Amino acid sequence: MAETKKLERARVRRVAGASMIGTTIEWYDYYIFGTAAVLVLNDQFFPELSPAAGTLASLATFSVAFIARPFGGIIFGHFGDKVSRKTILVWSLMLMGLSTFLVGFLPNYDAIGIWAPILLVTLRFLQGLAVGGEWGGAVLMALEHAPRNKRAFYASWTQSGVPAALVLSSTIFLLMQTMDEAAFHSWGWRVPFWISAALIAVGLFIRLRITESPEFLKMKADRREVRIPLFELLRTAWWPLLLGTFTLASPNIIFYISSVYLLSYGPEQAGLSRDAVFVALIVASIIAVFTIPLVAVVADRVGKKRIMLVGAVMVAALVFPVFWLVDTGQPLGALAAMILALPIAHATAYAVVASFIPELFKPEVRFTGSSLAYQLGGIVTSAPAPLIAASLIQNTGSSMSIAVYVSIAALVGFVAIALGRKPKEPAPPVPTEPLAVSSLER
């Protein structure tokens, strides 16, 4: 018995670890585009625009993936609910790897004109499709393998892949920036995209070795799958879908303000060097890799909803000192700001998302529902965050306007979390008495 439990724990850890590594690789691919959008894509693909307009155009290109992500959630979710959770994880990783790798080979505007930004937007759209299927599959594999009393903890391993990816992408770009500036703008910015090929190979090797979700196999054995999961979701679970979308307001906005917008705000508005902002981001993200599962351990004991509500309040309150610290223009201030934003506020708000959102849906539509809620949350909350922040600072000249925006969004998330409920478990079938057998039938 003890040996069986030991093997079961090992299997759960292997699946959770595979989900985390795969998610790290996929989000690395996703984030290097966001970093490149701030640092170099405006010069390479939008050179005829002014520097400010070029930055906005490259950030808009970054946002294209958010439009694609719900479509990825629907497509991959359909097959993840009907065919296989594991297979979909493999295909999403392959799509992400190919589209990211090709970005590294795109000719710039000077070489092929208008086709350069068109191809860039196309590949970014494919990245969005891949991420749309990745998150739902990864969290469900970890969640549905985990024991009931540790679901938040094991599902949070997938969430830890997000800051891990940020560490990886930021570190590589920081190293690339040590190059001569002309070389970096010529070819150095492409290296992080080329590295993706090796990372994807590692991710595929790991993911092909894990087992299918036991809850999915049970659903298939009980013949409970539905014909079109999207239609069933919209018919029976539109309210959880809406709530799941808005629960992401607090973690998503503080994350993208910190990891994307502050890369330009720090140097341009607060007088910080870009290296200082990168170092602060890397250190804070390393800490967040560990604080996310720690928060999840607490959530397994005191309740997922309670922790998410606390996280939303922390985001609303701590965003103000985050900007006060950045505005000091001091590297230590930037570091303290990133630590408040990521391993403290964001980690508390985000750690339990991977177990809270999927459990709003029944297993028959869980992949589709959780993926679509997460990706719609990306469109509503994440995608516009850097653009709204840039517009607010341009119109008000005050970082406090951005802090107020983040705070209001976090309170919207608080309300959505408070209203979230698990679906009722289906009633077990009523046992029937065996029919009496007549003497003639014996």
Side-chain angles (χ1 to χ4, degrees):
M1 187 69 175
E3 187 65 26
T4 302
K5 287 185 177 180
K6 186 177 179 181
L7 290 172
E8 180 65 20
R9 285 196 298 269
R11 182 175 65 87
V12 172
R13 288 170 184 164
R14 184 167 61 251
V15 171
S19 293
M20 178 184 175
I21 291 169
T23 300
T24 300
I25 293 168
E26 286 231 20
W27 285 103
Y28 161 81
D29 288 356
Y30 195 76
Y31 289 147
I32 57 173
F33 195 105
T35 306
V38 172
L39 298 181
V40 71
L41 295 187
N42 55 339
D43 297 329
Q44 294 290 318
F45 294 90
F46 306 99
E48 296 192 349
L49 300 177
S50 68
T55 299
L56 285 173
S58 60
L59 286 173
T61 304
F62 169 75
S63 299
V64 164
F66 289 98
I67 299 171
R69 280 166 57 173
F71 294 101
I74 292 170
I75 295 167
F76 286 106
H78 176 86
F79 294 102
D81 280 326
K82 288 184 67 67
V83 179
S84 168
R85 311 276 206 236
K86 174 184 171 179
T87 301
I88 292 307
L89 275 182
V90 172
W91 281 102
S92 68
L93 191 63
M94 290 176 64
L95 179 60
M96 174 62 86
L98 180 62
S99 55
T100 303
F101 186 62
L102 290 177
V103 170
F105 290 94
L106 274 185
N108 62 15
Y109 188 92
D110 291 339
I112 60 173
I114 191 65
W115 281 105
I118 290 174
L119 291 173
L120 182 69
V121 168
T122 301
L123 291 175
R124 182 59 175 169
F125 188 87
L126 292 177
Q127 279 190 323
L129 286 179
V131 167
E134 160 65 22
W135 185 84
V139 300
L140 290 189
M141 287 294 285
L143 184 77
E144 293 179 347
H145 275 88
R148 291 279 175 182
N149 63 338
K150 292 186 177 180
R151 283 196 150 195
F153 172 64
Y154 282 114
S156 75
W157 289 29
T158 305
Q159 304 298 77
S160 289
V162 173
L166 199 54
V167 171
L168 192 59
S169 61
S170 299
T171 300
I172 289 175
F173 262 106
L174 183 61
L175 292 174
M176 289 298 102
Q177 285 195 106
T178 62
M179 300 172 58
D180 173 79
E181 187 172 351
F184 175 73
H185 281 265
S186 174
W187 60 270
W189 68 270
R190 300 176 183 273
V191 173
F193 293 90
W194 296 338
I195 290 173
S196 172
L199 296 177
I200 293 296
V202 172
L204 285 174
F205 174 77
I206 293 170
R207 284 194 166 172
L208 286 169
R209 294 164 61 90
I210 61 176
T211 57
E212 182 60 87
S213 157
E215 284 197 30
F216 176 80
L217 293 175
K218 185 177 186 307
M219 180 194 76
K220 294 285 284 185
D222 294 343
R223 299 182 180 275
R224 287 189 286 120
E225 70 266 25
V226 296
R227 185 178 180 186
I228 303 178
L230 177 63
F231 291 173
E232 180 70 10
L233 174 74
L234 296 178
R235 186 179 68 84
T236 64
W238 61 270
W239 180 241
L241 176 63
L242 186 64
L243 294 179
T245 297
F246 284 98
T247 59
L248 291 160
S250 47
N252 280 8
I253 294 179
I254 188 67
F255 182 82
Y256 279 93
I257 291 294
S258 304
S259 63
V260 177
Y261 178 68
L262 287 183
L263 292 179
S264 60
Y265 177 88
E268 293 171 10
Q269 303 293 332
L272 287 159
S273 71
R274 183 157 278 138
D275 285 356
V277 180
F278 262 123
V279 169
L281 179 59
I282 290 167
V283 171
S285 298
I286 290 172
I287 299 171
V289 172
F290 301 98
T291 56
I292 285 175
L294 286 175
V295 170
V297 168
V298 177
D300 276 324
R301 296 184 179 183
V302 305
K304 302 180 189 72
K305 178 182 286 191
R306 185 174 298 175
I307 290 298
M308 288 193 69
L309 290 172
V310 170
V313 172
M314 288 176 68
V315 169
L318 293 180
V319 67
F320 292 94
V322 164
F323 275 98
W324 294 335
L325 288 164
V326 172
D327 287 341
T328 64
Q330 299 298 315
L332 285 178
L335 177 59
M338 286 292 190
I339 290 174
L340 278 181
L342 294 175
I344 297 178
H346 174 260
T348 308
Y350 187 64
V352 192
V353 163
S355 49
F356 182 82
I357 290 181
E359 289 185 344
L360 295 174
F361 305 96
K362 57 187 180 180
E364 296 93 307
V365 296
R366 186 173 287 159
F367 199 135
T368 303
S370 55
S371 294
L372 194 53
Y374 191 83
Q375 308 312 338
L376 288 175
I379 286 183
V380 174
T381 62
S382 303
L387 293 172
I388 290 174
S391 177
L392 285 171
I393 200 69
Q394 192 172 27
N395 288 298
T396 68
S398 171
S399 61
M400 289 302 99
S401 62
I402 303 174
V404 170
Y405 153 60
V406 176
S407 186
I408 293 172
L411 295 178
V412 171
F414 182 95
V415 173
I417 295 163
L419 294 173
R421 297 284 185 277
K422 283 186 180 182
K424 292 181 180 179
E425 294 287 339
V430 178
T432 57
E433 293 293 330
L435 295 174
V437 183
S438 69
S439 58
L440 293 175
E441 292 173 318
R442 290 193 185 111

